[in-house]
Amino acid sequence: MGIFNRTLLILILWSLGQAGAQTPPHLRTPFIEDWGQVKPETLERQAKAFAGTFFIEGPGDRKEIALTFDDGPSDDTPALLDLLKKENVKVTFFWQGQNVLQYPEIVRRALAEGHVLANHSFSHPNLSKMEDGGMWWDYQMERTQQAFQKVAGFQPAMMRPPYGFLNDKQIKSLRDKGMTAILWSVDSADWFHIWQNSQDEMASSKIEAVIKQYIHPEAIVLMHDSGGRGRKPTIMATKALIPYLRQQGYGFTTVDRLLNIPVRQAISGE
Ligand SMILES: [Zn+2]
């Protein structure tokens, strides 16, 4: 190898190392246009501007990932809990307050089985569009905090905004309350694949393929345990993915452990 080639090789290796160390948090999966989800550039800007409060992934040092499920609990959730128990995988649920009140037994079961529970608003609006005078907090966030308090005996420190939408003022307000906003780096788009494929096996294999393609160390993976025509394909995909990802050397953890942040909001006076 000539001196020129050797220098080039060293430069390439050096730049790869740099890229690994300096890549800011970003969404790995392709964005599905026109489906009312927050744009990747908005997520990435907010993750950079509000580091420590607004997360889309972990630092990327460890081959650990956090599976997350949104919108439940629902009638589909117990089958998912059965699977997770069998596989000894703990996940993070971002649940709607209205469903927490409707399915208190499922909430308590998930908690007893070691899963982490977090706030996903009360009834799933675009929070960033709610007027500033505290409505988003009082009617959506606080109501859900109270639902968790009533059913599970604690108030979550983590929240995930529906569709990923929060404005900067709301992120600052969460920071003031000692809370964190948890977004995602791998969007399974399970809702989209289930909607597009009436056949469960087809939908499930699409969900699997997306996650297999884009998984990375310290990923936060977005899936859903409620909504649409049911979430059976999501559960089928999860069942197939757990052994596959383990074989690839990945371990499963919860979002709080991945990011080293609290699960329960510290309420003043407690
Ligand atoms: Zn949602």
Side-chain angles (χ1 to χ4, degrees):
M1 187 187 287
I3 182 80
F4 175 75
N5 281 344
R6 198 173 306 165
T7 309
L8 191 66
L9 182 66
I10 288 167
L11 269 173
I12 289 168
L13 289 174
W14 176 82
S15 64
L16 284 174
Q18 291 298 303
Q22 292 180 350
T23 307
H26 62 291
L27 180 69
R28 305 302 200 285
T29 39
F31 179 64
I32 302 171
E33 295 282 352
D34 302 325
W35 278 89
Q37 263 188 309
V38 68
K39 288 202 161 62
E41 51 267 34
T42 306
L43 289 188
E44 288 160 10
R45 179 188 66 76
Q46 290 180 323
K48 216 172 153 184
F50 300 99
T53 301
F54 187 100
F55 294 93
I56 60 184
E57 61 177 290
D61 305 323
R62 297 163 302 163
K63 237 179 157 182
E64 298 212 335
I65 55 176
L67 301 182
T68 71
F69 296 87
D70 286 12
D71 298 357
S74 78
D75 292 329
D76 285 324
T77 310
L80 176 61
L81 290 174
D82 290 345
L83 168 68
L84 297 171
K85 191 176 184 181
K86 197 167 156 236
E87 293 287 353
N88 193 27
V89 170
K90 312 296 180 206
V91 305
T92 309
F93 289 106
F94 293 88
W95 278 340
Q96 297 180 55
Q98 60 180 0
N99 294 343
V100 166
L101 294 177
Q102 195 184 338
Y103 295 94
E105 280 83 20
I106 299 177
V107 174
R108 288 192 280 265
R109 178 184 165 191
L111 193 64
E113 292 179 358
H115 302 294
V116 167
L117 313 183
N119 188 324
H120 191 47
S121 83
F122 195 82
S123 56
H124 217 272
N126 176 342
L127 294 175
S128 70
K129 287 194 173 160
M130 292 182 74
E131 74 180 66
D132 276 343
M135 287 243 316
W136 73 285
W137 179 262
D138 291 349
Y139 289 96
Q140 290 293 329
M141 293 297 302
E142 177 64 15
R143 255 174 109 190
T144 304
Q145 293 296 85
Q146 291 308 326
F148 274 109
Q149 182 73 55
K150 185 179 170 199
V151 170
F154 79 100
Q155 299 185 29
M158 298 188 288
M159 67 82 69
R160 172 174 282 159
Y163 320 104
F165 288 114
L166 277 179
N167 61 46
D168 288 3
K169 205 173 155 186
Q170 291 168 333
I171 301 172
K172 284 179 199 156
S173 167
L174 289 172
R175 188 174 60 195
D176 293 344
K177 294 173 195 297
M179 292 184 72
T180 48
I182 310 300
L183 287 296
W184 53 80
S185 60
V186 175
D187 181 357
S188 71
D190 55 346
W191 54 273
F192 180 75
H193 297 303
I194 292 170
W195 176 81
Q196 273 207 324
N197 298 278
S198 57
Q199 225 204 339
D200 286 351
E201 285 74 18
M202 189 66 86
S204 167
S205 69
K206 289 270 168 62
I207 297 164
E208 258 182 79
V210 171
I211 294 174
K212 283 179 180 174
Q213 184 175 355
Y214 294 101
I215 199 70
H216 62 93
E218 301 198 36
I220 298 176
V221 180
L222 169 62
M223 291 185 272
H224 295 82
D225 69 324
S226 175
R229 62 173 177 85
R231 296 306 185 197
K232 204 174 155 212
T234 298
I235 299 169
M236 290 163 68
T238 306
K239 188 178 176 183
L241 281 162
I242 290 170
Y244 170 84
L245 292 169
R246 278 193 169 131
Q247 226 167 25
Q248 301 294 307
Y250 284 103
F252 299 95
T253 192
T254 50
V255 170
D256 57 300
R257 286 169 179 239
L258 189 78
L259 303 174
N260 196 24
I261 56 172
V263 170
R264 295 173 181 226
Q265 190 190 8
I267 312 287
S268 54
E270 263 186 20

